Amino acid sequence: MNDPSWHQVVGTTADLRGRIIVAEGDVNRLREQIASFHVVPAYAELQARADGLDKRVRSLPEQDVIDRRNLAELRRAVEEANEPDTAYVDAMYRELGIVLPDRVHRSFEDVRGFHASIVRNRRRYLADEIEETQARLTAREHERARLGEELTETLSALRDGGALDGLTALQQLLAQKQAALEALRKQHETAQFMEASQREITAQRAELQEELELDLEERSEQTREATWLFARFARRLYGQDRQAYLTIRAGTSSLEISAHVDSQGSVGINKMVIFCLDLTAAVIALRHDRGPGFLVHDSHLFDGVDDRQVTEALTLASEVAEEEGLQYIVTFNSDKLERARLGGFDPSPYLIEPRLTDAYDEGGLFGFRF
């Protein structure tokens, strides 16, 4: 039930329920479209007409851009079409002390009039061009509105009806949607069965967890004994003011036992917690005739442990073994054992012969040389 591939293949009932609702809506919508579908005889002609109208509507803005640019240039040309100033010519001749005859003055007047007529004609031409450009812009605006209405009517006719191949395509799509909907319903049934089974398993697990809680309450003497022994051993190693206790509770899948000693920050303390927990379990098992009567530790358990704690641990193990009639067996390297001896623990009464040594070339273990 916890395998994620099941949910990837089947899905959850909540997801499938939502997908089924959407799929049913798609099927109903297609059925309504097919029921109201009518074949338009001139469907191809309407489609070509709609394409042409759409193309014409999209081309109008491009022409508007050109005309607006031309209109701006025409207005700028009108502003630049001013009558030339010829007064400076008379002033120049007067400064030279030359008096121009009347005939020359009349020629200047004629030239000034000629230039003025040119400017008027140019302004008139530019005004006509501006008027025509604005008229084209206005006409295209009206044409755009007319084409938009005509395109809307054409598209509406195409949407309400269609060719025979369009009806066939709708019917094929409906068949596909119906098949997908049926597959979703089958998945939903499978997911419902799986989730119901999972809920049943969860309920049974909760029931078993409750029974385990009740069992722990009935075995309060045993849990009290174990917690007190662990606290006694841990305080022997780290002092009577150190908080040390066991947490025994019913977990979701098993009985969970956790050992706690204040300042469990180093590897050495964590390993000594294991030492105290093992010693607690061995003593309780021996007291209630459920254990083999001995506890074995490898020297690896004492790697990284302070020499003082090693000395205290070996002393504690020897005392407990003597009190409880328990045999404690531990393998030790001679150098670390020597440091424990210097710290106050005398290992000589507990050494078991023969001692393993690599002092001789003919030495080995089961015929292997290390």
Side-chain angles (χ1 to χ4, degrees):
M1 291 302 173
N2 293 328
D3 189 349
S5 61
W6 279 104
H7 294 291
Q8 293 174 2
V9 174
V10 179
T12 64
T13 56
D15 290 340
L16 290 170
R17 192 180 301 115
R19 292 170 61 185
I20 287 173
I21 292 173
V22 174
E24 288 175 343
D26 291 340
V27 168
N28 293 333
R29 179 177 54 83
L30 285 172
R31 284 174 176 168
E32 293 174 358
Q33 290 180 1
I34 292 174
S36 61
F37 192 93
H38 61 279
V39 178
V40 177
Y43 183 85
E45 182 180 347
L46 285 175
Q47 189 173 16
R49 182 181 176 185
D51 293 340
L53 290 171
D54 181 66
K55 183 177 180 181
R56 176 60 181 163
V57 168
R58 285 187 281 108
S59 68
L60 291 178
E62 299 176 0
Q63 299 176 18
D64 285 349
V65 171
I66 296 173
D67 277 344
R68 287 194 180 95
R69 186 168 57 246
N70 292 337
L71 184 61
E73 294 178 355
L74 289 170
R75 288 173 176 167
R76 187 167 52 253
V78 169
E79 294 175 357
E80 295 174 354
N82 297 320
E83 295 184 6
D85 184 11
T86 59
Y88 72 93
V89 179
D90 289 335
M92 180 182 68
Y93 274 97
R94 280 195 303 270
E95 290 175 3
L96 293 175
I98 302 173
V99 179
L100 296 177
D102 294 340
R103 184 173 53 82
V104 176
H105 277 292
R106 285 195 298 272
S107 65
F108 275 130
E109 294 298 331
D110 293 341
V111 171
R112 186 183 294 111
F114 174 73
H115 278 286
S117 65
I118 290 177
V119 171
R120 286 194 300 273
N121 291 336
R122 178 167 177 76
R123 285 184 172 180
R124 188 180 301 111
Y125 169 76
L126 293 173
D128 292 341
E129 287 292 322
I130 290 174
E131 185 177 355
E132 290 179 5
T133 303
Q134 289 178 334
R136 286 197 301 272
L137 289 170
T138 303
R140 274 197 293 273
E141 185 176 355
H142 293 307
E143 184 181 6
R144 189 181 297 107
R146 179 182 60 80
L147 291 174
E149 294 178 359
E150 189 175 350
L151 179 60
T152 301
E153 294 176 357
T154 305
L155 292 176
S156 177
L158 288 172
R159 184 177 60 251
D160 295 338
L164 185 59
D165 55 350
L167 177 61
T168 304
L170 284 176
Q171 291 173 337
Q172 292 177 348
L173 182 59
L174 175 61
Q176 294 173 1
K177 293 288 186 181
Q178 287 176 328
L181 175 59
E182 188 61 28
L184 286 174
R185 286 172 175 165
K186 293 293 185 183
Q187 283 183 256
H188 186 256
E189 292 177 2
T190 303
Q192 282 182 319
F193 170 76
M194 288 179 58
E195 292 184 7
S197 300
Q198 194 167 16
R199 286 192 296 270
E200 183 180 353
I201 292 173
T202 302
Q204 291 179 0
R205 178 178 288 137
E207 183 179 350
L208 291 173
Q209 189 174 359
E210 181 66 23
E211 292 180 3
L212 188 54
E213 288 283 0
L214 295 175
D215 186 72
L216 283 175
E217 292 180 5
E218 294 175 358
R219 298 175 186 270
S220 59
E221 289 297 327
Q222 288 89 336
T223 57
R224 184 180 294 108
E225 179 185 15
T227 303
W228 170 246
L229 277 175
F230 176 81
R232 171 193 160 194
F233 297 155
R235 287 176 174 177
R236 173 65 183 275
L237 297 181
Y238 292 102
Q240 294 299 318
D241 57 341
R242 187 66 62 94
Q243 276 281 13
Y245 58 91
L246 291 179
T247 299
I248 304 175
R249 68 185 187 91
T252 57
S253 58
S254 64
L255 179 67
E256 297 178 359
I257 302 177
S258 302
H260 301 274
V261 176
D262 281 353
S263 302
Q264 291 189 32
S266 67
V267 176
I269 293 180
N270 292 334
K271 289 187 174 182
M272 288 299 94
V273 168
I274 296 174
F275 169 83
C276 294
L277 184 61
D278 288 351
L279 193 59
T280 299
V283 170
I284 292 178
L286 179 64
R287 286 179 179 179
H288 299 280
D289 295 327
R290 293 197 303 272
F294 62 87
L295 174 63
V296 180
H297 277 156
D298 183 70
S299 60
H300 178 68
L301 181 65
F302 297 90
D303 290 344
V305 181
D306 183 78
D307 290 339
R308 188 180 68 83
Q309 265 70 48
V310 173
T311 301
E312 291 293 336
L314 293 177
T315 303
L316 174 63
S318 63
E319 293 175 357
V320 171
E322 185 175 354
E323 292 174 4
E324 302 290 340
L326 176 72
Q327 185 181 20
Y328 180 70
I329 304 172
V330 57
T331 60
F332 248 91
N333 293 329
S334 56
D335 55 343
K336 199 170 187 66
L337 188 61
E338 178 62 20
R339 290 197 296 271
R341 187 188 66 79
L342 295 175
F345 174 73
D346 182 13
S348 55
Y350 309 109
L351 291 177
I352 299 177
E353 297 290 349
R355 300 177 61 182
L356 301 179
T357 177
D358 55 0
Y360 310 104
D361 292 338
E362 63 271 12
L365 181 63
F366 300 114
F368 290 94
R369 174 70 179 163
F370 295 92

